[in-house]
């Protein structure tokens, strides 16, 4: 991937993390932090910190995370928009199917993940 494309992907993933969209998409896909971390080649505490704003996504792991987020967005957002267009969801509702941290398999010891 050329450098400009990498920078654009990093900017997109950082915006998705800062807005909470990345976490919403992961939860809507019923993916745990551990599953995402393994797929991106990073520790699960890294993804946990990214999604909570404690760390800025960087490096190859962040690029892989960005690719995953882009893929989830393209697959999940059309369904959400379709449901909103039918009046099944309010305009400002969160992504349907988003699980609670416990239900999505997040088992991070928050005292050690700081």
């Amino acid at each position: 991937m050329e450098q400009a494309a990498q920078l654009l992907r990093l900017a997109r993933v950082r915006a998705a993390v800062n807005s909470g969209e990345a976490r919403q998409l992961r939860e809507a896909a019923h993916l745990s932090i551990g599953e995402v971390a393994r797929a991106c080649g990073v520790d699960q505490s890294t993804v946990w910190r990214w999604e909570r704003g404690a760390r800025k996504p960087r490096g190859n792991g962040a690029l892989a995370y960005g690719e995953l987020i882009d893929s989830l967005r393209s697959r999940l957002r059309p369904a959400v928009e379709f449901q909103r267009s039918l009046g099944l969801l309010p305009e400002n509702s969160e992504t349907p199917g988003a699980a609670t941290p416990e239900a999505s398999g997040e088992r991070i010891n928050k005292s050690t993940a700081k």
Side-chain angles (χ1 to χ4, degrees):
M1 186 183 300
E2 68 179 71
Q3 189 172 8
Q6 288 179 342
L7 290 174
L8 290 173
R9 177 156 303 205
L10 278 175
R12 279 196 314 270
V13 75
R14 288 175 182 170
V17 165
N18 290 338
S19 70
E21 179 191 25
R23 182 177 178 183
Q24 284 182 348
L25 288 167
R26 177 186 57 77
E27 290 175 344
H30 303 286
L31 296 172
S32 71
I33 285 178
E35 291 168 326
V36 168
R38 282 187 294 281
C40 296
V42 298
D43 190 78
Q44 65 183 24
S45 65
T46 300
V47 175
W48 189 89
R49 288 180 183 122
W50 288 344
E51 290 185 354
R52 280 146 187 87
R55 278 247 167 117
K56 186 185 296 189
R58 314 176 185 275
N60 290 332
L63 293 171
Y65 184 65
E67 189 172 329
L68 174 67
I69 295 305
D70 287 347
S71 180
L72 291 175
R73 184 185 294 118
S74 69
R75 287 172 172 78
L76 296 174
R77 287 294 180 208
V80 171
E81 295 307 317
F82 177 70
Q83 289 178 359
R84 284 188 181 136
S85 73
L86 295 175
L88 300 174
L89 292 174
E91 285 298 316
N92 61 352
S93 67
E94 289 188 17
T95 305
T100 63
E102 296 79 22
S104 65
E106 293 183 28
R107 290 179 181 84
I108 301 288
N109 181 341
K110 293 179 178 144
S111 64
T112 61
K114 292 181 181 176

